[in-house]
Amino acid sequence: MAEVPFDPSTDQGSQADATRQLERVFQSMPNEIHLFLFSRKDRDDPFAQAIRQVVRAFREMTNKITFREYGLDHELARKWQVTDGPTLLFEPEKYNIRWYGGPLGEEGRTFLELLIYLGLGKSNISEQAREVIGRIDEPRQVKVFVSPTCPYCPQQAVNAIKAAMEKPGQISLELVDIQCRPDLAEQYSAHSVPQTFANDVMIAMGAQTEELFAASLLKLEQQTVFIPETEDELVEADLVIVGGGPAGLTAGIYAARSGLKSAIIERGALGGQVATTPVVENYPGLTSVGGKTLVDIMVTHALEYTTIFPGEEVIDIEVGRPFVVSTSRRKFHTKTILLATGATHKHLGAPGESRLLGRGVSYCSTCDGMLFKGKKVIMVGGGNSAVTEALHLRNIGVDVTLVHRRDKLRAQDFLTRLLFEARIPVLWNTEVREILGEDRVRQVLLFDNQSKETFTLPLDGVFISIGYEPAISLAQKLGLALTEEGYIQKDAHHRTSIDGIYSAGDVEGGYKQIVTAAGQGAEAAMSIFEDVINPYWKREAG
Ligand code: NAP
């Protein structure tokens, strides 16, 4: 708030000093501020009283605030669609900002900031957040649930105020005090504050930075890391990394620290498989961490060094000096390329599997598990992933049975022990023959490969976690040599069969652990650095 010489969150000395400072702030503001309170005539609400008191106190400092109060039956209530009270409207001819509640407790800070921005006629939003808000081209009805005792609420409320002031025609805001409107809190299950909804979708639990709030509002889903976007049509780099999983992110950090200009391109979710892993317990330094949290930590770290282009798919790579990498949005000219494309989940190939995908069939327990709370599902697979995900499902209250095709699990002993301790039933030597159901999964047809009997099991969901296949379509397009198992063939320096193209992570095969992928990313970046300085292809040619 560079132009506002008053920070309501800090102790500015005595009350009298603060009042004088505020008077000066209001005096310097160009605009009048019009407030309208709509309240019930039949009861004198403590929130309405608080609003009157606080507004009166401000009006003693400045004549720039006007205040009108009406009943809910007044024509202005109809005009501005106010149906319940107390509802406070701010500049309703210009903005759609309403408050169910009042400036009590911590919310006093929100109220003061709102008045200042209205008086200034601008929101003082950051440039990055403004750019993201500018890209919203459909209406957003925002609700921020707050309470007077919540110290984090003003930050989120102010984020929403700034957005509503930036795009008044498109973004409307309701600040909902959960004590004033317990009915709305109940309706939205907003049992913790701050909680933010847009178009009735929950987009944030807790307070966010302005930029993250803007990104969540744009995408209508909670964003946890803000990645600045660029319109550049051509990006020059020393290294383009394809894939934003642990290998790619680590390579980005190492490359930049060596002095290389790197860029990471990721078509899907940053973090790859880790992003959907419920809990990670074997990453050194973090005893137990949610997969998505670990990804956020890694992405935030990588952003200190490198540029990330999320949601962009590499559609073509022209081999040459430089390489030309084309994505759906731009071109990159680069000296080297690292393929860290990871792996994608394997399919069972059972009838019904693809038809019922998203209707009971899922490959991601972290994403979809909650939808099956209290319901019966199977988890197919016997490796670390299947066991970790079965444990996650059990923890969130899903009735899960593991179905494995052999009589011994492939998962580590530690995880196997946890599975048995959690008393998760296991159907051994059992294969899925068909997934049945018209509109959604209703039952599975199973085959006991010992007794050779088939039987059906009624259930609501089939989770499949039977391993991964390397994502090699780009490698194939480039004509890179592959191993017999179908992974990218590389040497000890992570060099592939084309000079200047390298690989790292699960696409190379091997142990496929987060920590090994990160290690391979670091190794590849260091070897790329050495080769950029002193290219082996020139050395060997000479
Ligand atoms: P995985 O270790 O390859 O295990 C795949 C499991 O699915 C195996 O039990 C396999 O059975 C079964 N399977 C494969 N194809 C099948 C089919 N067509 N029908 C039925 N079952 C089938 O895969 P993952 O568990 O996804 O793990 C992938 C990699 O990530 C591994 O290297 C793993 O160690 C790693 N990871 C590590 C952790 C951790 O350390 N916490 C967590 C997750 C993943 P068989 O046993 O009979 O072959």
Side-chain angles (χ1 to χ4, degrees), residues 326-349:
S326 306
T327 71
S328 30
R329 291 185 61 180
R330 67 195 99 231
K331 283 191 191 309
F332 297 76
H333 285 180
T334 180
K335 293 177 185 154
T336 56
I337 293 173
L338 174 65
L339 295 180
T341 44
T344 49
H345 52 247
K346 264 171 59 179
H347 296 203
L348 274 173

mmCIF file with all atom_site columns, all heavy atoms in Angstrom, residues 326-349:
data_model
loop_
_atom_site.group_PDB
_atom_site.id
_atom_site.type_symbol
_atom_site.label_atom_id
_atom_site.label_alt_id
_atom_site.label_comp_id
_atom_site.label_asym_id
_atom_site.label_entity_id
_atom_site.label_seq_id
_atom_site.pdbx_PDB_ins_code
_atom_site.Cartn_x
_atom_site.Cartn_y
_atom_site.Cartn_z
_atom_site.occupancy
_atom_site.B_iso_or_equiv
_atom_site.pdbx_formal_charge
_atom_site.auth_seq_id
_atom_site.auth_comp_id
_atom_site.auth_asym_id
_atom_site.auth_atom_id
_atom_site.pdbx_PDB_model_num
ATOM 1   N N   . SER A 1 326 ? 8.894  -26.795 -29.991 1.00 0.00 ? 326 SER A N   1
ATOM 2   C CA  . SER A 1 326 ? 7.617  -26.067 -30.159 1.00 0.00 ? 326 SER A CA  1
ATOM 3   C C   . SER A 1 326 ? 6.592  -26.623 -29.194 1.00 0.00 ? 326 SER A C   1
ATOM 4   O O   . SER A 1 326 ? 6.412  -27.841 -29.094 1.00 0.00 ? 326 SER A O   1
ATOM 5   C CB  . SER A 1 326 ? 7.075  -26.248 -31.570 1.00 0.00 ? 326 SER A CB  1
ATOM 6   O OG  . SER A 1 326 ? 8.052  -25.869 -32.503 1.00 0.00 ? 326 SER A OG  1
ATOM 7   N N   . THR A 1 327 ? 5.924  -25.724 -28.480 1.00 0.00 ? 327 THR A N   1
ATOM 8   C CA  . THR A 1 327 ? 4.818  -26.149 -27.620 1.00 0.00 ? 327 THR A CA  1
ATOM 9   C C   . THR A 1 327 ? 3.540  -25.567 -28.197 1.00 0.00 ? 327 THR A C   1
ATOM 10  O O   . THR A 1 327 ? 3.570  -24.859 -29.209 1.00 0.00 ? 327 THR A O   1
ATOM 11  C CB  . THR A 1 327 ? 4.971  -25.629 -26.173 1.00 0.00 ? 327 THR A CB  1
ATOM 12  O OG1 . THR A 1 327 ? 4.749  -24.214 -26.176 1.00 0.00 ? 327 THR A OG1 1
ATOM 13  C CG2 . THR A 1 327 ? 6.340  -25.925 -25.615 1.00 0.00 ? 327 THR A CG2 1
ATOM 14  N N   . SER A 1 328 ? 2.450  -25.841 -27.528 1.00 0.00 ? 328 SER A N   1
ATOM 15  C CA  . SER A 1 328 ? 1.174  -25.308 -27.990 1.00 0.00 ? 328 SER A CA  1
ATOM 16  C C   . SER A 1 328 ? 1.168  -23.778 -27.953 1.00 0.00 ? 328 SER A C   1
ATOM 17  O O   . SER A 1 328 ? 0.341  -23.150 -28.597 1.00 0.00 ? 328 SER A O   1
ATOM 18  C CB  . SER A 1 328 ? 0.057  -25.889 -27.113 1.00 0.00 ? 328 SER A CB  1
ATOM 19  O OG  . SER A 1 328 ? 0.552  -26.146 -25.810 1.00 0.00 ? 328 SER A OG  1
ATOM 20  N N   . ARG A 1 329 ? 2.092  -23.138 -27.200 1.00 0.00 ? 329 ARG A N   1
ATOM 21  C CA  . ARG A 1 329 ? 2.009  -21.677 -27.047 1.00 0.00 ? 329 ARG A CA  1
ATOM 22  C C   . ARG A 1 329 ? 3.204  -20.887 -27.571 1.00 0.00 ? 329 ARG A C   1
ATOM 23  O O   . ARG A 1 329 ? 3.101  -19.687 -27.771 1.00 0.00 ? 329 ARG A O   1
ATOM 24  C CB  . ARG A 1 329 ? 1.823  -21.328 -25.569 1.00 0.00 ? 329 ARG A CB  1
ATOM 25  C CG  . ARG A 1 329 ? 0.455  -21.751 -25.082 1.00 0.00 ? 329 ARG A CG  1
ATOM 26  C CD  . ARG A 1 329 ? 0.185  -21.317 -23.688 1.00 0.00 ? 329 ARG A CD  1
ATOM 27  N NE  . ARG A 1 329 ? 0.219  -19.882 -23.503 1.00 0.00 ? 329 ARG A NE  1
ATOM 28  C CZ  . ARG A 1 329 ? -0.001 -19.302 -22.344 1.00 0.00 ? 329 ARG A CZ  1
ATOM 29  N NH1 . ARG A 1 329 ? -0.272 -20.035 -21.291 1.00 0.00 ? 329 ARG A NH1 1
ATOM 30  N NH2 . ARG A 1 329 ? 0.056  -18.002 -22.218 1.00 0.00 ? 329 ARG A NH2 1
ATOM 31  N N   . ARG A 1 330 ? 4.359  -21.543 -27.729 1.00 0.00 ? 330 ARG A N   1
ATOM 32  C CA  . ARG A 1 330 ? 5.550  -20.757 -28.124 1.00 0.00 ? 330 ARG A CA  1
ATOM 33  C C   . ARG A 1 330 ? 6.654  -21.687 -28.628 1.00 0.00 ? 330 ARG A C   1
ATOM 34  O O   . ARG A 1 330 ? 6.498  -22.914 -28.618 1.00 0.00 ? 330 ARG A O   1
ATOM 35  C CB  . ARG A 1 330 ? 6.044  -19.921 -26.944 1.00 0.00 ? 330 ARG A CB  1
ATOM 36  C CG  . ARG A 1 330 ? 6.589  -20.723 -25.809 1.00 0.00 ? 330 ARG A CG  1
ATOM 37  C CD  . ARG A 1 330 ? 6.717  -19.896 -24.546 1.00 0.00 ? 330 ARG A CD  1
ATOM 38  N NE  . ARG A 1 330 ? 5.592  -20.128 -23.661 1.00 0.00 ? 330 ARG A NE  1
ATOM 39  C CZ  . ARG A 1 330 ? 4.847  -19.173 -23.118 1.00 0.00 ? 330 ARG A CZ  1
ATOM 40  N NH1 . ARG A 1 330 ? 5.109  -17.914 -23.373 1.00 0.00 ? 330 ARG A NH1 1
ATOM 41  N NH2 . ARG A 1 330 ? 3.835  -19.469 -22.327 1.00 0.00 ? 330 ARG A NH2 1
ATOM 42  N N   . LYS A 1 331 ? 7.799  -21.057 -28.998 1.00 0.00 ? 331 LYS A N   1
ATOM 43  C CA  . LYS A 1 331 ? 8.968  -21.837 -29.406 1.00 0.00 ? 331 LYS A CA  1
ATOM 44  C C   . LYS A 1 331 ? 10.113 -21.567 -28.446 1.00 0.00 ? 331 LYS A C   1
ATOM 45  O O   . LYS A 1 331 ? 10.220 -20.476 -27.883 1.00 0.00 ? 331 LYS A O   1
ATOM 46  C CB  . LYS A 1 331 ? 9.415  -21.428 -30.815 1.00 0.00 ? 331 LYS A CB  1
ATOM 47  C CG  . LYS A 1 331 ? 8.537  -22.012 -31.917 1.00 0.00 ? 331 LYS A CG  1
ATOM 48  C CD  . LYS A 1 331 ? 9.186  -21.784 -33.272 1.00 0.00 ? 331 LYS A CD  1
ATOM 49  C CE  . LYS A 1 331 ? 8.266  -22.091 -34.423 1.00 0.00 ? 331 LYS A CE  1
ATOM 50  N NZ  . LYS A 1 331 ? 7.595  -23.380 -34.400 1.00 0.00 ? 331 LYS A NZ  1
ATOM 51  N N   . PHE A 1 332 ? 10.967 -22.568 -28.278 1.00 0.00 ? 332 PHE A N   1
ATOM 52  C CA  . PHE A 1 332 ? 12.164 -22.427 -27.463 1.00 0.00 ? 332 PHE A CA  1
ATOM 53  C C   . PHE A 1 332 ? 13.363 -22.744 -28.350 1.00 0.00 ? 332 PHE A C   1
ATOM 54  O O   . PHE A 1 332 ? 13.328 -23.738 -29.088 1.00 0.00 ? 332 PHE A O   1
ATOM 55  C CB  . PHE A 1 332 ? 12.157 -23.438 -26.295 1.00 0.00 ? 332 PHE A CB  1
ATOM 56  C CG  . PHE A 1 332 ? 11.032 -23.234 -25.316 1.00 0.00 ? 332 PHE A CG  1
ATOM 57  C CD1 . PHE A 1 332 ? 9.741  -23.620 -25.627 1.00 0.00 ? 332 PHE A CD1 1
ATOM 58  C CD2 . PHE A 1 332 ? 11.278 -22.667 -24.073 1.00 0.00 ? 332 PHE A CD2 1
ATOM 59  C CE1 . PHE A 1 332 ? 8.698  -23.440 -24.734 1.00 0.00 ? 332 PHE A CE1 1
ATOM 60  C CE2 . PHE A 1 332 ? 10.243 -22.479 -23.166 1.00 0.00 ? 332 PHE A CE2 1
ATOM 61  C CZ  . PHE A 1 332 ? 8.955  -22.862 -23.501 1.00 0.00 ? 332 PHE A CZ  1
ATOM 62  N N   . HIS A 1 333 ? 14.395 -21.901 -28.301 1.00 0.00 ? 333 HIS A N   1
ATOM 63  C CA  . HIS A 1 333 ? 15.665 -22.232 -28.948 1.00 0.00 ? 333 HIS A CA  1
ATOM 64  C C   . HIS A 1 333 ? 16.619 -22.623 -27.837 1.00 0.00 ? 333 HIS A C   1
ATOM 65  O O   . HIS A 1 333 ? 16.816 -21.860 -26.894 1.00 0.00 ? 333 HIS A O   1
ATOM 66  C CB  . HIS A 1 333 ? 16.233 -21.008 -29.694 1.00 0.00 ? 333 HIS A CB  1
ATOM 67  C CG  . HIS A 1 333 ? 15.494 -20.743 -30.969 1.00 0.00 ? 333 HIS A CG  1
ATOM 68  N ND1 . HIS A 1 333 ? 15.817 -19.719 -31.806 1.00 0.00 ? 333 HIS A ND1 1
ATOM 69  C CD2 . HIS A 1 333 ? 14.462 -21.403 -31.556 1.00 0.00 ? 333 HIS A CD2 1
ATOM 70  C CE1 . HIS A 1 333 ? 15.002 -19.738 -32.857 1.00 0.00 ? 333 HIS A CE1 1
ATOM 71  N NE2 . HIS A 1 333 ? 14.174 -20.756 -32.717 1.00 0.00 ? 333 HIS A NE2 1
ATOM 72  N N   . THR A 1 334 ? 17.196 -23.783 -27.936 1.00 0.00 ? 334 THR A N   1
ATOM 73  C CA  . THR A 1 334 ? 18.006 -24.264 -26.813 1.00 0.00 ? 334 THR A CA  1
ATOM 74  C C   . THR A 1 334 ? 19.209 -25.070 -27.290 1.00 0.00 ? 334 THR A C   1
ATOM 75  O O   . THR A 1 334 ? 19.158 -25.712 -28.344 1.00 0.00 ? 334 THR A O   1
ATOM 76  C CB  . THR A 1 334 ? 17.143 -25.115 -25.851 1.00 0.00 ? 334 THR A CB  1
ATOM 77  O OG1 . THR A 1 334 ? 17.958 -25.565 -24.777 1.00 0.00 ? 334 THR A OG1 1
ATOM 78  C CG2 . THR A 1 334 ? 16.515 -26.319 -26.540 1.00 0.00 ? 334 THR A CG2 1
ATOM 79  N N   . LYS A 1 335 ? 20.272 -25.008 -26.454 1.00 0.00 ? 335 LYS A N   1
ATOM 80  C CA  . LYS A 1 335 ? 21.467 -25.776 -26.812 1.00 0.00 ? 335 LYS A CA  1
ATOM 81  C C   . LYS A 1 335 ? 21.288 -27.255 -26.498 1.00 0.00 ? 335 LYS A C   1
ATOM 82  O O   . LYS A 1 335 ? 21.845 -28.117 -27.178 1.00 0.00 ? 335 LYS A O   1
ATOM 83  C CB  . LYS A 1 335 ? 22.668 -25.246 -26.005 1.00 0.00 ? 335 LYS A CB  1
ATOM 84  C CG  . LYS A 1 335 ? 23.070 -23.835 -26.384 1.00 0.00 ? 335 LYS A CG  1
ATOM 85  C CD  . LYS A 1 335 ? 24.210 -23.359 -25.501 1.00 0.00 ? 335 LYS A CD  1
ATOM 86  C CE  . LYS A 1 335 ? 24.510 -21.900 -25.802 1.00 0.00 ? 335 LYS A CE  1
ATOM 87  N NZ  . LYS A 1 335 ? 25.107 -21.196 -24.684 1.00 0.00 ? 335 LYS A NZ  1
ATOM 88  N N   . THR A 1 336 ? 20.534 -27.540 -25.436 1.00 0.00 ? 336 THR A N   1
ATOM 89  C CA  . THR A 1 336 ? 20.374 -28.936 -25.005 1.00 0.00 ? 336 THR A CA  1
ATOM 90  C C   . THR A 1 336 ? 18.940 -29.182 -24.539 1.00 0.00 ? 336 THR A C   1
ATOM 91  O O   . THR A 1 336 ? 18.210 -28.238 -24.231 1.00 0.00 ? 336 THR A O   1
ATOM 92  C CB  . THR A 1 336 ? 21.312 -29.247 -23.813 1.00 0.00 ? 336 THR A CB  1
ATOM 93  O OG1 . THR A 1 336 ? 21.020 -28.311 -22.781 1.00 0.00 ? 336 THR A OG1 1
ATOM 94  C CG2 . THR A 1 336 ? 22.781 -29.159 -24.183 1.00 0.00 ? 336 THR A CG2 1
ATOM 95  N N   . ILE A 1 337 ? 18.595 -30.458 -24.475 1.00 0.00 ? 337 ILE A N   1
ATOM 96  C CA  . ILE A 1 337 ? 17.245 -30.852 -24.033 1.00 0.00 ? 337 ILE A CA  1
ATOM 97  C C   . ILE A 1 337 ? 17.380 -31.983 -23.026 1.00 0.00 ? 337 ILE A C   1
ATOM 98  O O   . ILE A 1 337 ? 18.184 -32.906 -23.222 1.00 0.00 ? 337 ILE A O   1
ATOM 99  C CB  . ILE A 1 337 ? 16.394 -31.334 -25.233 1.00 0.00 ? 337 ILE A CB  1
ATOM 100 C CG1 . ILE A 1 337 ? 16.111 -30.162 -26.166 1.00 0.00 ? 337 ILE A CG1 1
ATOM 101 C CG2 . ILE A 1 337 ? 15.091 -31.968 -24.767 1.00 0.00 ? 337 ILE A CG2 1
ATOM 102 C CD1 . ILE A 1 337 ? 15.420 -30.555 -27.455 1.00 0.00 ? 337 ILE A CD1 1
ATOM 103 N N   . LEU A 1 338 ? 16.601 -31.908 -21.963 1.00 0.00 ? 338 LEU A N   1
ATOM 104 C CA  . LEU A 1 338 ? 16.538 -33.024 -21.013 1.00 0.00 ? 338 LEU A CA  1
ATOM 105 C C   . LEU A 1 338 ? 15.123 -33.582 -21.033 1.00 0.00 ? 338 LEU A C   1
ATOM 106 O O   . LEU A 1 338 ? 14.160 -32.856 -20.772 1.00 0.00 ? 338 LEU A O   1
ATOM 107 C CB  . LEU A 1 338 ? 16.888 -32.531 -19.593 1.00 0.00 ? 338 LEU A CB  1
ATOM 108 C CG  . LEU A 1 338 ? 16.722 -33.583 -18.485 1.00 0.00 ? 338 LEU A CG  1
ATOM 109 C CD1 . LEU A 1 338 ? 17.706 -34.736 -18.665 1.00 0.00 ? 338 LEU A CD1 1
ATOM 110 C CD2 . LEU A 1 338 ? 16.915 -32.953 -17.113 1.00 0.00 ? 338 LEU A CD2 1
ATOM 111 N N   . LEU A 1 339 ? 15.004 -34.858 -21.346 1.00 0.00 ? 339 LEU A N   1
ATOM 112 C CA  . LEU A 1 339 ? 13.683 -35.490 -21.303 1.00 0.00 ? 339 LEU A CA  1
ATOM 113 C C   . LEU A 1 339 ? 13.500 -36.115 -19.926 1.00 0.00 ? 339 LEU A C   1
ATOM 114 O O   . LEU A 1 339 ? 14.187 -37.077 -19.566 1.00 0.00 ? 339 LEU A O   1
ATOM 115 C CB  . LEU A 1 339 ? 13.567 -36.563 -22.390 1.00 0.00 ? 339 LEU A CB  1
ATOM 116 C CG  . LEU A 1 339 ? 13.633 -36.056 -23.836 1.00 0.00 ? 339 LEU A CG  1
ATOM 117 C CD1 . LEU A 1 339 ? 13.513 -37.219 -24.821 1.00 0.00 ? 339 LEU A CD1 1
ATOM 118 C CD2 . LEU A 1 339 ? 12.528 -35.030 -24.116 1.00 0.00 ? 339 LEU A CD2 1
ATOM 119 N N   . ALA A 1 340 ? 12.611 -35.522 -19.154 1.00 0.00 ? 340 ALA A N   1
ATOM 120 C CA  . ALA A 1 340 ? 12.296 -36.058 -17.823 1.00 0.00 ? 340 ALA A CA  1
ATOM 121 C C   . ALA A 1 340 ? 10.789 -36.268 -17.796 1.00 0.00 ? 340 ALA A C   1
ATOM 122 O O   . ALA A 1 340 ? 10.074 -35.727 -16.950 1.00 0.00 ? 340 ALA A O   1
ATOM 123 C CB  . ALA A 1 340 ? 12.753 -35.064 -16.746 1.00 0.00 ? 340 ALA A CB  1
ATOM 124 N N   . THR A 1 341 ? 10.326 -37.013 -18.782 1.00 0.00 ? 341 THR A N   1
ATOM 125 C CA  . THR A 1 341 ? 8.882  -37.112 -19.026 1.00 0.00 ? 341 THR A CA  1
ATOM 126 C C   . THR A 1 341 ? 8.191  -38.116 -18.125 1.00 0.00 ? 341 THR A C   1
ATOM 127 O O   . THR A 1 341 ? 6.964  -38.235 -18.157 1.00 0.00 ? 341 THR A O   1
ATOM 128 C CB  . THR A 1 341 ? 8.620  -37.485 -20.506 1.00 0.00 ? 341 THR A CB  1
ATOM 129 O OG1 . THR A 1 341 ? 9.531  -38.532 -20.864 1.00 0.00 ? 341 THR A OG1 1
ATOM 130 C CG2 . THR A 1 341 ? 8.869  -36.319 -21.429 1.00 0.00 ? 341 THR A CG2 1
ATOM 131 N N   . GLY A 1 342 ? 8.957  -38.861 -17.310 1.00 0.00 ? 342 GLY A N   1
ATOM 132 C CA  . GLY A 1 342 ? 8.350  -39.727 -16.303 1.00 0.00 ? 342 GLY A CA  1
ATOM 133 C C   . GLY A 1 342 ? 7.618  -40.911 -16.886 1.00 0.00 ? 342 GLY A C   1
ATOM 134 O O   . GLY A 1 342 ? 8.000  -41.471 -17.923 1.00 0.00 ? 342 GLY A O   1
ATOM 135 N N   . ALA A 1 343 ? 6.545  -41.256 -16.225 1.00 0.00 ? 343 ALA A N   1
ATOM 136 C CA  . ALA A 1 343 ? 5.817  -42.452 -16.618 1.00 0.00 ? 343 ALA A CA  1
ATOM 137 C C   . ALA A 1 343 ? 4.331  -42.210 -16.405 1.00 0.00 ? 343 ALA A C   1
ATOM 138 O O   . ALA A 1 343 ? 3.940  -41.362 -15.607 1.00 0.00 ? 343 ALA A O   1
ATOM 139 C CB  . ALA A 1 343 ? 6.295  -43.624 -15.752 1.00 0.00 ? 343 ALA A CB  1
ATOM 140 N N   . THR A 1 344 ? 3.526  -42.951 -17.131 1.00 0.00 ? 344 THR A N   1
ATOM 141 C CA  . THR A 1 344 ? 2.066  -42.819 -16.943 1.00 0.00 ? 344 THR A CA  1
ATOM 142 C C   . THR A 1 344 ? 1.507  -44.143 -16.430 1.00 0.00 ? 344 THR A C   1
ATOM 143 O O   . THR A 1 344 ? 2.087  -45.196 -16.677 1.00 0.00 ? 344 THR A O   1
ATOM 144 C CB  . THR A 1 344 ? 1.359  -42.492 -18.278 1.00 0.00 ? 344 THR A CB  1
ATOM 145 O OG1 . THR A 1 344 ? 1.842  -43.424 -19.253 1.00 0.00 ? 344 THR A OG1 1
ATOM 146 C CG2 . THR A 1 344 ? 1.674  -41.096 -18.743 1.00 0.00 ? 344 THR A CG2 1
ATOM 147 N N   . HIS A 1 345 ? 0.381  -44.087 -15.717 1.00 0.00 ? 345 HIS A N   1
ATOM 148 C CA  . HIS A 1 345 ? -0.122 -45.311 -15.075 1.00 0.00 ? 345 HIS A CA  1
ATOM 149 C C   . HIS A 1 345 ? -0.552 -46.365 -16.097 1.00 0.00 ? 345 HIS A C   1
ATOM 150 O O   . HIS A 1 345 ? -1.049 -46.049 -17.169 1.00 0.00 ? 345 HIS A O   1
ATOM 151 C CB  . HIS A 1 345 ? -1.248 -45.001 -14.089 1.00 0.00 ? 345 HIS A CB  1
ATOM 152 C CG  . HIS A 1 345 ? -2.346 -44.185 -14.681 1.00 0.00 ? 345 HIS A CG  1
ATOM 153 N ND1 . HIS A 1 345 ? -2.607 -42.906 -14.300 1.00 0.00 ? 345 HIS A ND1 1
ATOM 154 C CD2 . HIS A 1 345 ? -3.231 -44.462 -15.658 1.00 0.00 ? 345 HIS A CD2 1
ATOM 155 C CE1 . HIS A 1 345 ? -3.599 -42.436 -15.003 1.00 0.00 ? 345 HIS A CE1 1
ATOM 156 N NE2 . HIS A 1 345 ? -3.997 -43.362 -15.837 1.00 0.00 ? 345 HIS A NE2 1
ATOM 157 N N   . LYS A 1 346 ? -0.346 -47.614 -15.700 1.00 0.00 ? 346 LYS A N   1
ATOM 158 C CA  . LYS A 1 346 ? -0.707 -48.731 -16.573 1.00 0.00 ? 346 LYS A CA  1
ATOM 159 C C   . LYS A 1 346 ? -2.193 -49.033 -16.451 1.00 0.00 ? 346 LYS A C   1
ATOM 160 O O   . LYS A 1 346 ? -2.789 -48.824 -15.396 1.00 0.00 ? 346 LYS A O   1
ATOM 161 C CB  . LYS A 1 346 ? 0.087  -49.976 -16.159 1.00 0.00 ? 346 LYS A CB  1
ATOM 162 C CG  . LYS A 1 346 ? 1.331  -50.155 -16.975 1.00 0.00 ? 346 LYS A CG  1
ATOM 163 C CD  . LYS A 1 346 ? 2.241  -51.240 -16.464 1.00 0.00 ? 346 LYS A CD  1
ATOM 164 C CE  . LYS A 1 346 ? 1.716  -52.633 -16.357 1.00 0.00 ? 346 LYS A CE  1
ATOM 165 N NZ  . LYS A 1 346 ? 2.743  -53.574 -15.854 1.00 0.00 ? 346 LYS A NZ  1
ATOM 166 N N   . HIS A 1 347 ? -2.764 -49.544 -17.514 1.00 0.00 ? 347 HIS A N   1
ATOM 167 C CA  . HIS A 1 347 ? -4.178 -49.932 -17.497 1.00 0.00 ? 347 HIS A CA  1
ATOM 168 C C   . HIS A 1 347 ? -4.281 -51.445 -17.381 1.00 0.00 ? 347 HIS A C   1
ATOM 169 O O   . HIS A 1 347 ? -3.406 -52.169 -17.850 1.00 0.00 ? 347 HIS A O   1
ATOM 170 C CB  . HIS A 1 347 ? -4.869 -49.480 -18.783 1.00 0.00 ? 347 HIS A CB  1
ATOM 171 C CG  . HIS A 1 347 ? -4.904 -47.982 -18.925 1.00 0.00 ? 347 HIS A CG  1
ATOM 172 N ND1 . HIS A 1 347 ? -5.811 -47.318 -19.696 1.00 0.00 ? 347 HIS A ND1 1
ATOM 173 C CD2 . HIS A 1 347 ? -4.144 -47.024 -18.365 1.00 0.00 ? 347 HIS A CD2 1
ATOM 174 C CE1 . HIS A 1 347 ? -5.603 -46.013 -19.616 1.00 0.00 ? 347 HIS A CE1 1
ATOM 175 N NE2 . HIS A 1 347 ? -4.580 -45.820 -18.821 1.00 0.00 ? 347 HIS A NE2 1
ATOM 176 N N   . LEU A 1 348 ? -5.368 -51.902 -16.769 1.00 0.00 ? 348 LEU A N   1
ATOM 177 C CA  . LEU A 1 348 ? -5.579 -53.347 -16.653 1.00 0.00 ? 348 LEU A CA  1
ATOM 178 C C   . LEU A 1 348 ? -5.912 -53.969 -18.004 1.00 0.00 ? 348 LEU A C   1
ATOM 179 O O   . LEU A 1 348 ? -5.568 -55.109 -18.278 1.00 0.00 ? 348 LEU A O   1
ATOM 180 C CB  . LEU A 1 348 ? -6.786 -53.613 -15.751 1.00 0.00 ? 348 LEU A CB  1
ATOM 181 C CG  . LEU A 1 348 ? -6.580 -53.673 -14.247 1.00 0.00 ? 348 LEU A CG  1
ATOM 182 C CD1 . LEU A 1 348 ? -7.933 -53.783 -13.561 1.00 0.00 ? 348 LEU A CD1 1
ATOM 183 C CD2 . LEU A 1 348 ? -5.707 -54.868 -13.881 1.00 0.00 ? 348 LEU A CD2 1
ATOM 184 N N   . GLY A 1 349 ? -6.650 -53.198 -18.802 1.00 0.00 ? 349 GLY A N   1
ATOM 185 C CA  . GLY A 1 349 ? -7.128 -53.737 -20.079 1.00 0.00 ? 349 GLY A CA  1
ATOM 186 C C   . GLY A 1 349 ? -8.366 -54.591 -19.911 1.00 0.00 ? 349 GLY A C   1
ATOM 187 O O   . GLY A 1 349 ? -8.735 -55.345 -20.811 1.00 0.00 ? 349 GLY A O   1
#
